Amino acid sequence: MSSLSRDEVARVAGLARIDLKPEEVDRLVGELQVIVDSVARVSEVATPDVPATSHPLPMTNVFRADVPEQPLSQADALSGAPASEDGKFLVPQILGEE
């Protein structure tokens, strides 16, 4: 695998509009090279006979079926409200409107 150069890291930082000091570029060259090498090692293992996975365990949908049901009546919906008025929830005024 090819190695990253200081110029490449500085160029990508410039494209991302990240202002890096020279010592930060030097440090990032090494850190990014470790990432590039790790991806290359994983790519070596990913062969056509190994199926792609997004999760190590099988996932299933845990939601119930979407079946229409009778909605709450207005009285039932307001039964747990601390205050109501004219069939609506009554809440404190916060915008200072008249």
Side-chain angles (χ1 to χ4, degrees):
M1 178 112 256
S2 64
S3 62
L4 294 173
S5 68
R6 287 188 89 261
D7 293 336
E8 289 172 321
V9 172
R11 180 180 161 277
V12 171
L15 291 172
R17 298 177 191 256
I18 300 173
D19 187 24
L20 295 176
K21 297 176 183 149
E23 59 272 9
E24 291 173 317
V25 172
D26 293 335
R27 180 177 52 86
L28 283 173
V29 167
E31 291 176 5
L32 291 173
Q33 189 60 52
V34 169
I35 294 170
V36 168
D37 292 342
S38 298
V39 170
R41 286 179 44 203
V42 169
S43 297
E44 291 172 3
V45 175
T47 60
D49 58 326
V50 177
T53 58
S54 62
H55 198 273
L57 303 173
M59 305 274 301
T60 58
N61 189 350
V62 295
F63 297 111
R64 65 174 171 79
D66 190 11
V67 178
E69 296 180 6
Q70 268 313 101
L72 289 176
S73 69
Q74 186 179 35
D76 287 340
L78 293 172
S79 67
S84 63
E85 184 178 285
D86 298 327
K88 301 174 188 156
F89 294 102
L90 185 63
V91 296
Q93 184 175 341
I94 59 170
L95 299 177
E97 298 174 355
E98 294 188 31

